[in-house]
Amino acid sequence: MSCSAGLDAEPGSPVARQLALAQSEVTLAVGELRELSRGVRPKALTDHGLAAAVGNLTTRSALPVTVDIRLPYRLPMAVESTGYFVAAEALANTTKHSRATRAEVHARLEADVLTLTVRDNGVGGADPAAGTGLVGLADRVAAADGRLRISSPAGGPTLLRVELPCR
């Protein structure tokens, strides 16, 4: 147990058991809060749509990011949310792993399908089998009946392409 109160409790005592139970409940609550926070939409997304939210996201990026998102109208919130979280996770992965000096986010609506791409000029080698970030992206896109493709040869660049139906 990592709390100092646990150090003062006699192992196996009623107090130690209560502290262990409390620690378990706190751990569970933190996990639930993390799950909840993953589903919370930023205000810019709710109020102004995908282009504004991704624009806001990139202003805080340590990496220069060019954003080119042109959509004729607001998309269903589920599609905008998925697109936003894909862009956010892809840019976070780029910043952490790619050694890129720049990235681009591009999105268009074509025949009721949102096509969103994130490209960087990094070292490549992104492999969905090697990390939970890309697996999580694939799961999120699949849950929206979408398709995710990644091209990331060794030496780069990396291109992530997502297609999300807007129905």
Side-chain angles (χ1 to χ4, degrees), residues 33-90:
L33 285 171
R34 284 187 180 132
E35 286 296 314
L36 176 63
S37 71
R38 288 185 187 125
V40 174
R41 293 183 207 90
K43 185 167 177 40
L45 182 60
T46 301
D47 292 350
H48 304 290
L50 184 60
V54 171
N56 283 352
L57 174 71
T58 61
T59 62
R60 299 184 305 272
S61 176
L63 189 67
V65 181
T66 302
V67 178
D68 181 13
I69 298 177
R70 290 185 245 159
L71 303 170
Y73 49 83
R74 290 289 304 266
L75 304 178
M77 185 51 73
V79 173
E80 286 188 339
S81 292
T82 301
Y84 174 82
F85 286 108
V86 164
E89 181 68 23

